[in-house]
Structures are given as C-alpha cells and as structure tokens.
Amino acid sequence: MARGGGLVRIAAFQSSCVTLVPELVTRLRHRHPGVRVTVTQAEPADARRMVRAGEADLGVLCNWAGDVLPEGEATMLRTELMTDRRCVLMREDDPLASNSTVDLGDLASYRWVMEGFRDRSLAACTNLGFQPSIAATVDDVIAIQALVASGLGISLVSEMALRTHLAPGLVRRPPRD
C-alpha cells in the first residue's frame, strides 16, 4: 500500500456486506486515513474470480466445512475470520418455535423461502428423505424475513445474515441435523 494512500478493492458476499465489511472498512480507514475503499457485492465464486483476475484486492469468501478449496485458491493468502452456521427462520407462533433446536425432518411438510444458492439446503432435505416445497426464491435477507413473517414459509438462513436485524415476530433455531 502506498504511504500516502491508495485504493483497496473488496469483493464480498451479501451478509458480510452488512456485518464484517463495515467493521473492516472502519478499521482500515482509521489506521490508514489516506486509503480509498470500494466494495462490490459478489457471491464467493465471483469474488474468487475477481481476486484471481486482479479486479479485487481482497475477497471475503466462504467455504463449507469439508469442502476442498476451489481450483487456484490454494495459492491465495487466506485468513479465517469466523465460523457461521445456518439456522431455521420461522414465525414465533410456529409450534416448533418453542424448541431450542429444530429437526429439519420435522419441516418436510412446510413451505420454504429459499435463496437462489441452495444446493446445500436441498441436499440436506434430500438426505432426510424429502424435497422441500419452495414457495419463494429470494436472495435478500430482509426480503426473506418479510416473506417468512407473512407466513409464506420457513427458511434456512446464516446466523451472520441475521446478526444485524431480526424482524419482529420471527425466531431462529439451529437445526439438530
């Protein structure tokens, strides 16, 4: 980084843009006041591509536990920031909301509000012997919460995505399985 300042280009996935990235930008600007920062919201695959192509200097990425690093990523400097997990998002008046955890199998008859990137969620349901009835596909966490609050369905959402805001009338419960 140049002594008098410079530009740091960050590519980061949506929920990190409302949790980790603002803190990162604040710290960076405090320690290096001359630095300019740009942020581009990008899903991890796109952020990886942007870093490899020199279009971003820093990528906030996520990897699923047990996954092999994507091709070309082993040479990147990596720093683990945190562990995040999915949780079931449901209305507080749902009969399962009183449980401290929820068995995904108990949600087989529910309608689901799912993100566009849902391979892992679908695989978890399939492994339990059911295909979720998808009522909506939405990638914005506020929209997901609004649809769940309306009673359209339940959702699986990362805890990090719910850290800054949980809509009134909703609860999150970790899945047992």
Side-chain angles (χ1 to χ4, degrees):
M1 178 177 331
R3 180 168 266 210
L7 173 64
V8 176
R9 301 165 299 166
I10 302 171
F13 57 94
Q14 181 188 24
S15 56
S16 73
C17 285
V18 296
T19 53
L20 300 174
V21 173
E23 183 178 335
L24 171 66
V25 169
T26 300
R27 287 182 183 188
L28 186 60
R29 295 184 77 202
H30 176 74
R31 291 182 184 153
H32 304 282
V35 170
R36 291 180 303 123
V37 177
T38 63
V39 176
T40 301
Q41 181 181 317
E43 289 302 312
D46 292 328
R48 286 180 178 93
R49 181 198 55 75
M50 291 173 71
V51 170
R52 286 195 298 261
E55 299 168 10
D57 304 302
L58 174 68
V60 180
L61 310 172
C62 60
N63 287 71
W64 294 91
D67 275 358
V68 176
L69 289 178
E71 184 179 331
E73 194 170 320
T75 60
M76 293 180 177
L77 174 62
R78 300 175 56 86
T79 302
E80 185 173 323
L81 300 175
M82 63 176 293
T83 299
D84 190 23
R85 64 181 179 174
R86 294 280 168 172
C87 58
V88 177
L89 181 67
M90 63 179 57
R91 291 168 47 119
E92 65 186 2
D93 61 356
D94 188 285
L96 297 177
S98 61
N99 298 341
S100 60
T101 61
V102 175
D103 185 333
L104 287 183
D106 290 342
L107 302 172
S109 64
Y110 281 65
R111 296 185 74 209
W112 293 64
V113 176
M114 293 192 122
E115 296 171 301
F117 180 75
R118 56 180 172 231
D119 295 350
R120 294 286 178 147
S121 298
L122 289 175
C125 295
T126 299
N127 288 340
L128 293 170
F130 73 95
Q131 292 295 316
S133 171
I134 301 172
T137 299
V138 182
D139 288 323
D140 180 85
V141 72
I142 300 300
I144 290 170
Q145 290 186 53
L147 292 171
V148 171
S150 78
L152 186 61
I154 55 92
S155 189
L156 283 178
V157 181
S158 79
E159 285 185 320
M160 182 171 65
L162 300 174
R163 188 180 301 163
T164 59
H165 174 76
L166 180 63
L170 297 180
V171 297
R172 63 178 179 226
R173 299 292 181 256
R176 279 193 293 274
D177 49 358

